[in-house]
Amino acid sequence: MTVYDCLIVGGGIAGLQAAIQIGRYGHSALVADKADGRSTLCRSYHNVLGWPDGISGDELRRLGRTHAERTGVRFVKDEIVSASRRGDTFELVGRDGGAYEAKTVLLATGIVDRFPDLPGLVPCLGKTVYVCPDCDGHEVRNRKTIVMGSGDTGAGMAMVLSAMTADLVFVNHERQPIRPDLAKKLRERDIVVVNEAIADVLESNDGEFQGVKLAGGGDIWADRGFIAFGGNEVRSGLAGQLGAERHENGHIMTDARTKMTTVPNLWAAGDVGVHSEQVAIAMGEGIQAAIWMHKALLRMGEEAPAEARPTAAGSGV
C-alpha cells in the first residue's frame, strides 16, 4: 500500500487550500472527497477577495482541484468512514472498502446545514437565500426578507438581520416554541411571525428567490431569504475515532498556531474546527495547517535512519 505523506479528508475550501500548499512543498498527498460539502450547494459567495460579483462553491472547488492537481496532488472520490493509528502512520478506510495510509492527516470535513427538503430552496442557496449573516447580511439590506427557520434559532436570526432591514417576516416552519423574552424582542422590532409550515419556495426561472407558499394556503412575497433551523451536523466523527478532543458542540479542538489537534500529526481546518463559517478563514486555516504538516514531515525525515530517508522532499512512497 502506498504510504502518503499527507492524506486530506474533505475536498472543500479548507482541504483544497491545504492540498495546494502541500503539493507545492513536493509532498505526496491524497485528497479523499465525498463531494457533498456545503460549498457544493452555494451558488455564489459574495465576500471573497477578488470576486466582487461572487463565485459559486462549485467553481471554487473546480479551480482549487485543478490547481492542486498541477502540483501532483491526487484525488479520490470516497467517504472515509473509519480511522485508526498503526505505529507511526494513520490508516483510513472508505465506505466502499478502499484503504489509505498516511504519515499525517488533515480533517477538513466541515459541517452540514440542517434544512427541510423544500421545493425550490436549493437553487436559491447562496444566490438569493443565505445561511450566514456575517457572510451575507449585507445582501438583504433594505430588502423585504423572509427568515425560514425553527423556534429560537429562526427568531434569533431575524433579530440579527433586523440591523440590516426593517421589513422582516419569520416563518416558523417547524412551529417550535419561541422563548418569551425573544418573542417580546420580535414584537418590539415589528418582525412578523408566521407559525405555519412552508410548502414551496417561490423562485423565478433564473433561480431568484421570490417568497414562500404556505402549506395552509397563501403566499408571502419577498426579495431575499435566510434559513435558520439549527441542529447542523458537525462532521467530526473521525476525530473521535482517533481520540482527538472535541468541544461539546462537536467541533474539533486545535492549536491556535498550528491547527494540530490533541493527537500528534492529526490536523483539522475549516468549519469542523471552528464555528466562523467563512470561506476566507477556511482557506487560511487550510494553508496554516499545511505549513505545520510540512514542518512535521521534515522532522520525520530528519529522524529516519539514513538509508530510509527520501532523496527528495516528499518522495515518501
Side-chain angles (χ1 to χ4, degrees):
M1 181 188 299
T2 298
V3 179
Y4 291 93
D5 291 331
C6 174
L7 197 150
I8 298 170
V9 185
I13 308 305
L16 287 170
Q17 186 66 73
I20 291 167
Q21 184 69 16
I22 284 289
R24 286 170 61 85
Y25 283 129
H27 296 301
S28 62
L30 177 71
V31 178
D33 183 29
K34 187 181 176 184
D36 74 339
R38 65 190 333 208
S39 58
T40 64
L41 296 175
C42 184
R43 297 296 186 269
S44 184
Y45 291 108
H46 296 89
N47 64 338
V48 179
L49 177 67
W51 303 96
D53 297 321
I55 182 171
S56 72
D58 277 340
E59 180 66 2
L60 264 183
R61 289 170 70 107
R62 184 190 69 79
L63 292 169
R65 176 166 177 162
T66 298
H67 193 166
E69 287 177 331
R70 288 178 180 175
T71 70
V73 175
R74 295 181 58 193
F75 285 76
V76 61
K77 184 174 181 180
D78 200 353
E79 178 187 3
I80 303 300
V81 294
S82 69
S84 60
R85 290 290 296 268
R86 187 181 71 172
D88 295 331
T89 62
F90 294 88
E91 291 187 340
L92 296 95
V93 179
R95 181 164 297 281
D96 295 328
Y100 315 95
E101 191 170 355
K103 299 174 186 177
T104 65
V105 170
L106 171 65
L107 299 178
T109 42
I111 66 176
V112 179
D113 297 289
R114 184 181 78 85
F115 56 86
D117 183 18
L118 296 174
L121 176 58
V122 169
C124 297
L125 287 177
K127 189 174 181 181
T128 47
V129 174
Y130 311 104
V131 176
C132 171
D134 298 309
C135 304
D136 293 311
H138 171 78
E139 304 299 325
V140 308
R141 189 178 298 277
N142 299 324
R143 295 176 180 270
K144 183 172 182 179
T145 301
I146 296 174
V147 175
M148 298 167 276
S150 178
D152 290 344
T153 301
M157 178 66 78
M159 287 300 302
V160 169
L161 294 176
S162 66
M164 299 293 180
T165 178
D167 199 352
L168 276 165
V169 177
F170 167 38
V171 181
N172 189 5
H173 172 75
E174 295 179 335
R175 289 156 288 183
Q176 292 299 305
I178 302 171
R179 295 193 325 265
D181 62 312
L182 192 49
K184 181 174 181 291
K185 291 178 180 178
L186 293 173
R187 291 192 297 271
E188 291 172 347
R189 294 289 179 94
D190 293 323
I191 298 172
V192 176
V193 178
V194 178
N195 288 299
E196 191 170 340
I198 298 167
D200 295 279
V201 169
L202 303 173
E203 57 167 326
S204 64
N205 292 332
D206 56 354
E208 295 284 329
F209 177 79
Q210 294 185 317
V212 299
K213 180 179 291 294
L214 299 175
D219 301 334
I220 303 176
W221 298 91
D223 302 313
R224 295 290 185 266
F226 254 86
I227 58 173
F229 288 89
N232 293 343
E233 176 194 355
V234 182
R235 289 179 163 174
S236 61
L238 295 174
Q241 291 180 27
L242 291 167
E245 291 188 37
R246 293 177 287 176
H247 295 278
E248 291 182 359
N249 60 8
H251 290 271
I252 303 170
M253 294 183 182
T254 60
D255 181 86
R257 184 183 185 197
T258 67
K259 310 316 297 179
M260 190 165 73
T261 72
T262 55
V263 173
N265 299 326
L266 175 67
W267 280 261
D271 291 347
V272 75
V274 295
H275 203 59
S276 56
E277 301 184 27
Q278 292 285 321
V279 169
I281 291 176
M283 289 180 180
E285 290 198 349
I287 201 168
Q288 185 179 2
I291 289 170
W292 288 91
M293 295 170 85
H294 168 63
K295 294 177 186 292
L297 288 164
L298 289 181
R299 286 195 299 271
M300 292 179 197
E302 292 171 355
E303 295 167 0
E307 64 273 14
R309 294 174 189 167
T311 56
S315 57
V317 293

